[in-house]
Amino acid sequence: MFNNLIFDLDDNIFDYSNSYKRSINCIFDFIYKNYKIDKKLLKCKFEGIKKIFQNETKNQACSHNKFIQLKKFSESLNLSYRELLNIYNLYLSEFYKNLKLFDYIINFLELCKVLEINCYILSNNLCYEQINVLDKLKIIDYFKKIYTS
């Protein structure tokens, strides 16, 4: 038998894709409501900026930094930095609100605990964000160590 088990977090323990999609769409809704910029245009612009940024920062932890991505997006729309903070806080609020563990996770983590299997997180995402997600999902105490970018 084995004593250690390594998990990736996003889309393995919780539904990252759904949380991300909802939070980004919430930002597009906010900008449309307040600035009357077409949502399809916003989505296209954001995806383009994100792609360029991730290519420029390939293999670096900052490539996953949503704040920087949203900063570049906000600057492209000539929004103020105060509005950037509002948008980022809206993103986080919506993201955390939509966090959902996959159905099997708690039972599996409990089984690991009973079998004395050490659980670890290995993630290419940013440290603060991943630890915060684990805490909000109420599973942080199941992991012996958390390794992130």
Side-chain angles (χ1 to χ4, degrees):
M1 179 112 128
F2 56 91
N3 297 330
N4 300 298
L5 188 58
I6 300 171
F7 294 84
D8 185 14
L9 185 55
D10 301 340
D11 282 331
N12 291 292
I13 290 179
F14 80 101
D15 191 352
Y16 171 86
S17 295
N18 180 60
S19 295
Y20 172 76
K21 182 179 176 183
R22 288 176 178 260
S23 57
I24 287 296
N25 284 332
C26 187
I27 287 170
F28 298 154
D29 290 343
F30 173 84
I31 294 171
Y32 172 75
K33 178 182 172 191
N34 290 286
Y35 297 95
K36 304 299 183 232
I37 302 171
D38 182 73
K39 290 183 203 177
K40 287 181 183 177
L41 175 66
L42 292 170
K43 181 178 181 178
C44 184
K45 185 177 272 263
F46 178 77
E47 291 300 324
I49 288 168
K50 178 182 172 184
K51 184 176 182 178
I52 291 167
F53 176 71
Q54 288 183 325
N55 284 336
E56 290 172 346
T57 58
K58 192 172 188 162
N59 297 323
Q60 298 176 43
C62 66
S63 69
H64 300 287
N65 191 316
K66 295 298 178 282
F67 184 81
I68 296 173
Q69 293 171 15
L70 289 171
K71 177 183 177 284
K72 290 180 174 292
F73 177 61
S74 294
E75 288 172 342
S76 77
L77 299 172
N78 294 317
L79 302 180
S80 70
Y81 290 113
R82 180 164 283 114
E83 196 70 290
L84 165 62
L85 291 173
N86 291 336
I87 288 168
Y88 184 66
N89 288 331
L90 178 62
Y91 170 85
L92 288 178
S93 173
E94 194 69 18
F95 187 84
Y96 293 142
K97 183 172 82 175
N98 285 288
L99 288 175
K100 185 178 182 319
L101 283 171
F102 289 122
D103 293 336
Y104 57 87
I105 292 299
I106 293 293
N107 290 339
F108 187 75
L109 290 171
E110 282 294 326
L111 177 63
C112 289
K113 190 175 181 179
V114 168
L115 296 175
E116 297 181 353
I117 297 171
N118 297 313
C119 294
Y120 301 86
I121 292 288
L122 180 61
S123 175
N124 64 348
N125 220 319
L126 301 172
C127 185
Y128 177 79
E129 282 81 1
Q130 297 301 64
I131 290 174
N132 214 6
V133 164
L134 289 167
D135 185 53
K136 293 197 181 301
L137 289 169
K138 298 180 178 16
I139 58 171
I140 196 166
D141 293 329
Y142 286 101
F143 298 95
K144 185 171 182 172
K145 293 260 185 183
I146 301 166
Y147 298 97
T148 62
S149 297

